[in-house]
Amino acid sequence: MTAPTRRPTQVRLAESMLAARDADAVHAWLARTAERSWMHVERVPLDGLAGWLTEPGTGNLRHHTGRFFSVESLSVELPGAPVPRWSQPIINQPEIGILGILVREIDGVLHCLMQAKHEPGNPNGLQLSPTVQATRSNYTRVHQGKPIPYLEHFRDTSGHRVLVDIRQSEQGAWFYRKRNRNMVVEVDGEVEVREGFRWFTLGEIAGLMTVPDLVNMDARTVLACLPGGGAALTRAATDPFSEALVRSADPATPGVHTIGDVLSWITEVRTRTDLRVALGPLSGLPDWTRENGVIAHRGGGFFTVVGVDVRAGGREVGSWSQPMIEPRGTGVIAFLVKQIGGVLHVLTHARTEAGYADVTELAPTVQCVPEAHDHLPVRPRFLDDVLGSTRIRFDAVLSEEGGRFLGARNRYLVVETDADVAPDDPEYRWLTLHQYEELLKHSFYVNIQARSLLLCLRSLVPRG
Amino acid sequence: MTAPTRRPTQVRLAESMLAARDADAVHAWLARTAERSWMHVERVPLDGLAGWLTEPGTGNLRHHTGRFFSVESLSVELPGAPVPRWSQPIINQPEIGILGILVREIDGVLHCLMQAKHEPGNPNGLQLSPTVQATRSNYTRVHQGKPIPYLEHFRDTSGHRVLVDIRQSEQGAWFYRKRNRNMVVEVDGEVEVREGFRWFTLGEIAGLMTVPDLVNMDARTVLACLPGGGAALTRAATDPFSEALVRSADPATPGVHTIGDVLSWITEVRTRTDLRVALGPLSGLPDWTRENGVIAHRGGGFFTVVGVDVRAGGREVGSWSQPMIEPRGTGVIAFLVKQIGGVLHVLTHARTEAGYADVTELAPTVQCVPEAHDHLPVRPRFLDDVLGSTRIRFDAVLSEEGGRFLGARNRYLVVETDADVAPDDPEYRWLTLHQYEELLKHSFYVNIQARSLLLCLRSLVPRG
């Protein structure tokens, strides 16, 4: 007997994307899983947080082992920006964690092993998470917890097919050069499905993208790094919008800019942007106070650093304490999209954030907290195009990483537009989905918000 | 009249590579140019170096304007390495400079505008240099010099064809996160050829690669970032070695690893390597002394930081002073290459250097100063395969950046081998030339030494 010839990955991904199943069954499974696991989160003062120290001298918050992460300060210079110089608290987490999704063909269709998981910052309890979500401190068992299920498939990939394996950044406004290793690994053999885990097709997950706060940030970034299905999606296109969407994902479709021009533009932005940052002590930060057990901005803006005690059932550790970042307000994260010559193009913004490893990444057209701009004379560019539009294609509130951020939620939008942007605009370019796919093979081109939004956009391919 | 259809870039590059001209004419031009320009370099103590300060407190060396570069210290932790912790002097030059080559079709063949240029560290005077080689401090005219010729073509590329535009790293052992913008820009119109400049085909430059210390480091890195000519080189192959070489540059040729596997391996290395570095004060560095006007290692190893006074005729500034790094010994930089299934593969090493922006880059098979290892029990891997080989395909001594390094020379070698390396070796992989070409479209994958050596290897395609 010879092994059957495997069909091309793009074809198999497209078939998984176009597979739909009974959404009710998914919700019933989530409800059953929720009954068997729980998490209680209580706000407590940063002072005396169990296992955490305020370092004498610097005032930095760190774990007594020196592992996990610390809260320090970052001083930033960005000449020419509206605010050319500031300091802020920031999470420093130099360890590279693994965000891994195990995939397997079941009845000839690729399925992803997803976990329904609590995190202390989740606004709503369980969220759909990758198979594995582990910092190095987790998986080297600093906290003496239980072994992490399925981790072995990602630590030794020999004999498996690696579909995604790339380090990507996370929020550069809250993390100092945070990178996680995004992985998708395909196995052939049987895999035991443990309590709290379930196999999903890509189409099933796509169908859940509009459920508020359900698909978690880590799942979104990993799935966004998968190839999009390319020309194999063509049969799904049923109307001009989905035809333009599917064409945009096809490698054979030229965009209004070549990929070489896009890379040269990124080089230009990263060269001209003179970002200088330095980590420093958290104590004595101008404009920030540490009072009443929290670290807060004097003007009430940006975010607050708070402490929480956590007790959980059904995961590695029963209880722990940690600092978290609690942002102010719900953000708006939006792509303007436009059919140009029958091909959907996405308006991308070259955005600089102080915590990025490489200065600038490609961000959504709009990424802001609107209320933070209420008192300012200048509105973020394109924000009113998004909020005033009647051509909304995607609209859902999703939450950010619940392991570090407390109740961090953003409204994700995909909005059609007729807006024109000059082809040599210094900060914006129209990209195709396939161009994003090419960039996502490499680190630090596409920011975490844009990766989430790309997954939302891809979920608009009609299914089943 | 309509514009003629332009042939594909790979075809035009291949034709320029296969064009040869009279080498005597090149040498005669160099000799004439040398008669009209000169540079005198005198060693002087670091103390009292004109225009440079030793900062009170830190002992760092910096220019009185705060521009150009500074010499500071770097403390390094690399757990698991043979030397897991050290501190060293390092050049900190956060500005991104431009290394640019202007190209133009002359009689239907692409030509590069090269400059014969002095740098204080050049062991032999004039070297063949890019059209433009400028730090931001140079081109914003901090030193009040003359305008830089041809710079305008690289600062505003609108209306030109941009063939290369990517930031790449330089020596991570001597520079802290140095990046330069490597550019090749094609123009259509007439270009005035100024004194000291000349048009060269790629084949002409290839023919000069074996001349000791002639093609400078900046020219090598920029030319290495150009696409290699692909299948259009096929007609040049005249023997099994050149057939294997040309096949290796062809996008249609599979390698022993897929590019996806190579990227996953790079992710794996960059994830498992726990490099931690911190800039600090130059004074009080253990194992280093500042005596007799130089900063030197107590054991006499590595390099010395020295001061020089420079007087020059025929460039922007008449005279200046600066610190330089003077390395000990001549290095060996070598690729082992092997025909696998009729395709030339290059043995690449995943090398970590303290000054890299992203931990690890792909390096030559061997990159070391052999005499530095004479007293040590462990020889660098593959060094003896290189030095003992009788199958040497390329062998020339070339110098490194003469603007920062005094007399820094390396012996560049390409050596055929039958050596076997396990396909899952943690540190080495066999790559094709086309795979390198794909990686060179992005920043920080291929180190400066490997880029030089790729150009040496490509120069072995038979010409004319």
Side-chain angles (χ1 to χ4, degrees):
Chain A
M1 243 180 84
T2 55
T5 308
R6 196 166 298 278
R7 289 156 305 138
T9 300
Q10 286 280 27
V11 171
R12 299 192 301 133
L13 290 169
E15 286 174 1
S16 181
M17 175 56 100
L18 300 180
R21 277 207 318 208
D22 182 2
D24 292 345
V26 171
H27 289 290
W29 171 78
L30 281 167
R32 280 198 311 278
T33 309
E35 282 166 17
R36 287 177 214 149
S37 67
W38 52 269
M39 177 174 282
H40 295 299
V41 180
E42 190 181 348
R43 287 165 188 264
V44 294
L46 289 172
D47 320 285
L49 200 61
W52 291 79
L53 319 168
T54 298
E55 271 187 350
T58 64
N60 292 347
L61 285 166
R62 66 170 181 81
H63 196 248
H64 72 98
T65 58
R67 305 291 293 274
F68 297 106
F69 64 91
S70 55
V71 185
E72 310 181 14
S73 81
L74 194 70
S75 68
V76 185
E77 286 181 57
L78 188 53
V83 181
R85 183 186 298 258
W86 74 92
S87 297
Q88 62 165 85
I90 200 151
I91 298 178
N92 186 11
Q93 182 171 343
E95 294 179 358
I96 301 176
I98 291 175
L99 307 177
I101 295 180
L102 205 61
V103 301
R104 184 170 174 262
E105 278 197 4
I106 300 174
D107 299 333
V109 179
L110 274 177
H111 283 68
C112 304
L113 188 62
M114 306 299 287
Q115 180 180 16
K117 194 173 181 193
H118 281 290
E119 291 290 355
N122 290 0
N124 63 330
L126 287 180
Q127 294 194 5
L128 207 59
S129 309
T131 320
V132 164
Q133 188 175 309
T135 63
R136 190 189 293 235
S137 290
N138 283 145
Y139 66 68
T140 55
R141 319 247 317 263
V142 171
H143 55 25
Q144 309 288 324
K146 302 176 205 156
I148 296 170
Y150 306 108
L151 180 64
E152 65 277 14
H153 297 289
F154 301 94
R155 295 207 70 187
D156 179 5
T157 58
S158 52
H160 304 328
R161 259 175 309 285
V162 177
L163 305 187
V164 169
D165 187 5
I166 190 71
R167 294 163 312 139
Q168 296 290 5
S169 69
E170 298 190 358
Q171 285 80 357
W174 300 335
F175 279 124
Y176 178 71
R177 299 187 180 172
K178 169 89 177 287
R179 300 142 302 168
N180 267 326
R181 185 172 179 182
N182 289 240
M183 301 182 79
V184 178
V185 173
E186 182 181 3
V187 294
D188 286 330
E190 285 291 327
V191 175
E192 184 202 357
V193 178
R194 301 168 66 119
E195 172 71 28
F197 290 81
R198 183 180 184 275
W199 293 109
F200 289 77
T201 63
L202 291 172
E204 267 179 318
I205 300 169
L208 297 170
M209 288 302 296
T210 51
V211 180
D213 302 307
L214 182 55
V215 179
N216 89 345
M217 185 189 90
D218 297 338
R220 300 196 303 266
T221 169
V222 176
L223 293 170
C225 291
L226 271 176
L233 288 173
T234 304
R235 67 183 166 89
T238 52
D239 61 287
F241 180 83
S242 60
E243 282 168 8
L245 178 63
V246 164
R247 248 180 240 125
S248 184
D250 185 342
T253 305
V256 295
H257 303 284
T258 67
I259 189 76
D261 289 343
V262 171
L263 290 170
S264 174
W265 169 63
I266 296 170
T267 297
E268 205 281 315
V269 178
R270 285 175 164 171
T271 302
R272 76 163 182 253
T273 306
D274 195 15
L275 175 69
R276 310 229 177 164
V277 300
L279 286 172
L282 187 55
S283 59
L285 207 50
D287 303 326
W288 294 76
T289 60
R290 180 164 173 176
E291 289 170 1
N292 307 319
V294 304
I295 297 168
H297 189 251
R298 282 184 204 282
F302 308 109
F303 58 82
T304 305
V305 184
V306 303
V308 293
D309 283 347
V310 186
R311 282 181 307 130
R315 57 180 286 159
E316 307 94 68
V317 181
S319 70
W320 71 92
S321 301
Q322 66 172 90
M324 303 195 79
I325 279 185
E326 183 176 26
R328 296 289 167 96
T330 297
V332 168
I333 290 177
F335 272 148
L336 288 181
V337 301
K338 185 178 176 181
Q339 298 180 39
I340 306 177
V343 178
L344 202 71
H345 282 71
V346 176
L347 189 58
T348 195
H349 177 219
R351 182 181 176 96
T352 298
E353 295 189 4
Y356 285 155
D358 199 5
V359 188
T360 302
E361 299 193 6
L362 300 189
T365 323
V366 171
Q367 177 186 324
C368 68
V369 179
E371 65 193 66
H373 296 270
D374 281 351
H375 313 293
L376 299 175
V378 181
R379 295 279 284 173
R381 199 166 158 195
F382 301 114
L383 175 60
D384 294 328
D385 298 77
V386 168
L387 297 182
S389 177
T390 56
R391 297 163 69 189
I392 295 176
R393 290 287 181 172
F394 182 94
D395 187 357
V397 172
L398 302 174
S399 38
E400 308 306 318
E401 169 57 43
R404 295 289 173 271
F405 311 129
L406 187 62
R409 306 173 82 222
N410 286 295
R411 184 178 169 199
Y412 285 84
L413 290 147
V414 176
V415 172
E416 275 200 285
T417 187
D418 298 317
D420 276 328
V421 178
D424 62 347
D425 187 291
E427 294 193 14
Y428 294 84
R429 285 290 181 283
W430 293 107
L431 264 67
T432 66
L433 283 177
H434 180 69
Q435 288 174 333
Y436 273 112
E437 187 174 322
E438 285 298 300
L439 295 173
L440 282 166
K441 292 177 181 167
H442 307 279
S443 296
F444 314 144
Y445 279 127
V446 182
N447 82 348
I448 179 80
Q449 292 84 358
R451 296 199 299 280
S452 276
L453 208 41
L454 284 168
L455 194 70
C456 300
L457 179 53
R458 283 194 200 153
S459 77
L460 300 179
V461 174
R463 280 177 303 282
Chain B
M1 242 180 83
T2 55
T5 308
R6 197 167 297 279
R7 289 155 306 136
T9 300
Q10 286 280 29
V11 172
R12 299 192 301 135
L13 290 169
E15 286 174 1
S16 181
M17 174 58 98
L18 299 180
R21 278 208 313 207
D22 181 3
D24 291 346
V26 171
H27 289 290
W29 171 77
L30 281 167
R32 278 199 311 277
T33 309
E35 282 166 18
R36 287 177 214 149
S37 66
W38 53 269
M39 178 174 282
H40 296 300
V41 180
E42 189 181 350
R43 288 165 187 264
V44 294
L46 289 172
D47 321 285
L49 199 60
W52 291 78
L53 318 168
T54 299
E55 270 187 349
T58 64
N60 291 346
L61 285 167
R62 67 170 181 81
H63 195 250
H64 72 97
T65 58
R67 305 292 291 274
F68 298 108
F69 64 92
S70 55
V71 185
E72 311 183 13
S73 82
L74 194 71
S75 68
V76 186
E77 286 181 56
L78 189 54
V83 180
R85 185 187 297 257
W86 73 92
S87 297
Q88 62 166 84
I90 201 152
I91 298 178
N92 186 11
Q93 182 171 344
E95 293 180 358
I96 301 176
I98 292 175
L99 307 178
I101 295 180
L102 204 61
V103 301
R104 183 169 175 263
E105 279 197 4
I106 300 174
D107 298 333
V109 179
L110 274 177
H111 283 67
C112 303
L113 188 61
M114 306 300 286
Q115 179 179 17
K117 194 175 180 191
H118 280 290
E119 290 288 357
N122 290 0
N124 63 330
L126 286 180
Q127 294 194 4
L128 207 58
S129 309
T131 321
V132 165
Q133 188 176 308
T135 63
R136 190 188 293 238
S137 290
N138 282 147
Y139 65 67
T140 54
R141 321 249 312 266
V142 173
H143 55 25
Q144 308 290 323
K146 300 177 207 156
I148 295 170
Y150 306 108
L151 180 64
E152 65 277 13
H153 297 290
F154 301 94
R155 295 207 69 185
D156 179 5
T157 58
S158 52
H160 305 328
R161 260 175 310 284
V162 177
L163 305 187
V164 169
D165 187 5
I166 189 71
R167 293 163 313 140
Q168 296 291 4
S169 69
E170 299 191 359
Q171 284 80 356
W174 299 335
F175 279 124
Y176 178 72
R177 300 189 179 171
K178 169 91 179 284
R179 301 143 300 169
N180 266 326
R181 185 173 180 181
N182 288 240
M183 301 182 80
V184 179
V185 172
E186 182 181 2
V187 293
D188 286 329
E190 286 291 326
V191 174
E192 183 201 358
V193 178
R194 300 168 65 119
E195 171 71 30
F197 291 81
R198 183 181 184 274
W199 293 107
F200 288 77
T201 64
L202 290 172
E204 268 180 318
I205 299 170
L208 297 170
M209 288 303 295
T210 51
V211 180
D213 302 307
L214 181 55
V215 179
N216 89 344
M217 184 188 91
D218 297 339
R220 299 196 303 267
T221 170
V222 175
L223 292 170
C225 292
L226 269 176
L233 287 173
T234 304
R235 67 182 166 91
T238 52
D239 61 287
F241 180 83
S242 60
E243 281 168 9
L245 177 63
V246 164
R247 249 181 238 123
S248 185
D250 186 342
T253 306
V256 296
H257 302 285
T258 67
I259 189 76
D261 290 343
V262 171
L263 290 171
S264 174
W265 167 65
I266 296 171
T267 297
E268 206 282 314
V269 178
R270 284 175 164 172
T271 302
R272 76 163 183 255
T273 306
D274 196 15
L275 174 70
R276 310 229 177 163
V277 300
L279 286 173
L282 186 55
S283 58
L285 208 50
D287 303 326
W288 294 77
T289 59
R290 180 164 175 176
E291 289 169 3
N292 306 319
V294 304
I295 296 168
H297 189 249
R298 283 184 204 282
F302 308 108
F303 58 82
T304 305
V305 184
V306 303
V308 292
D309 282 347
V310 185
R311 282 181 305 131
R315 57 180 287 158
E316 308 94 67
V317 181
S319 70
W320 71 93
S321 301
Q322 66 171 92
M324 302 195 80
I325 280 186
E326 182 176 28
R328 296 290 168 96
T330 298
V332 168
I333 290 177
F335 272 146
L336 287 182
V337 300
K338 185 179 177 180
Q339 298 180 38
I340 305 177
V343 179
L344 202 71
H345 281 71
V346 175
L347 190 58
T348 194
H349 177 220
R351 181 182 176 94
T352 299
E353 296 189 3
Y356 285 156
D358 200 5
V359 187
T360 302
E361 299 193 7
L362 300 188
T365 322
V366 171
Q367 177 187 324
C368 69
V369 179
E371 65 192 67
H373 297 268
D374 282 351
H375 314 294
L376 299 175
V378 182
R379 294 280 283 175
R381 199 166 159 195
F382 301 114
L383 175 59
D384 294 327
D385 299 76
V386 168
L387 296 183
S389 177
T390 56
R391 298 162 70 189
I392 294 175
R393 291 286 180 172
F394 182 93
D395 187 356
V397 172
L398 302 175
S399 39
E400 308 305 319
E401 170 56 42
R404 295 288 173 272
F405 311 129
L406 188 62
R409 306 175 81 222
N410 286 295
R411 184 177 169 201
Y412 285 84
L413 290 147
V414 176
V415 172
E416 275 200 286
T417 186
D418 298 316
D420 275 329
V421 177
D424 62 347
D425 187 290
E427 295 192 13
Y428 294 83
R429 285 291 182 282
W430 292 108
L431 264 66
T432 65
L433 283 177
H434 180 69
Q435 289 174 333
Y436 273 110
E437 186 174 322
E438 284 299 300
L439 295 173
L440 282 166
K441 292 177 182 167
H442 307 278
S443 296
F444 314 145
Y445 279 127
V446 183
N447 82 349
I448 180 81
Q449 292 86 355
R451 296 199 300 280
S452 276
L453 208 41
L454 284 168
L455 193 70
C456 299
L457 179 53
R458 282 193 202 155
S459 78
L460 299 179
V461 173
R463 281 177 304 280

